Amino acid sequence: MQSNNRNQNESKPPMSQEDYEALLLVETLHDMAINHDYRGLMQFKDAHAGHASSAFISWINTLIALSKLGAHNKTAMQSIENAFTPDRLLTAFSPDQAR
């Protein structure tokens, strides 16, 4: 069984620098949200507001609001985790559509 897993891992192409940087960004934002660093999230949003998509800004605003609720709010903590599901990340990182 282990050899099958090893073969599957070896057949994957290496991660691009862009993908690696995106993964680090998501991990950093996740850490900030679960540690209730809403000030850090607000600084990040402000730094990227001029060139980020509206979906991304909306996603960050949601993380800021949830992180302000605190660690004792189980619903907020679950919502933070839900914000990092693949479909939510794809939506947040999608460029704005032409109108």
Side-chain angles (χ1 to χ4, degrees), residues 21-56:
E21 289 172 3
L23 179 62
L24 287 178
L25 172 64
V26 168
E27 288 177 350
T28 300
L29 293 172
H30 180 263
D31 289 347
M32 292 169 81
I34 63 171
N35 291 312
H36 313 292
D37 182 9
Y38 62 88
R39 287 182 182 93
L41 289 167
M42 288 190 308
Q43 288 174 346
F44 181 86
K45 180 188 82 166
D46 291 344
H48 294 86
H51 58 272
S53 71
S54 59
F56 186 77

Side-chain angles (χ1 to χ4, degrees), residues 1-10:
M1 188 73 166
Q2 279 186 331
S3 63
N4 282 345
N5 288 339
R6 190 175 305 127
N7 289 339
Q8 287 175 351
N9 289 337
E10 290 172 4

Side-chain angles (χ1 to χ4, degrees), residues 1 14 16 18-20 37 41 44 46-47 49-50 54 57 74 76 81 84 94 99:
M1 188 73 166
S16 71
E18 185 177 279
D19 287 346
Y20 178 74
D37 182 9
L41 289 167
F44 181 86
D46 291 344
S54 59
I57 296 301
K74 292 182 189 257
E81 292 302 326
F84 287 89
S94 295
R99 294 177 205 228

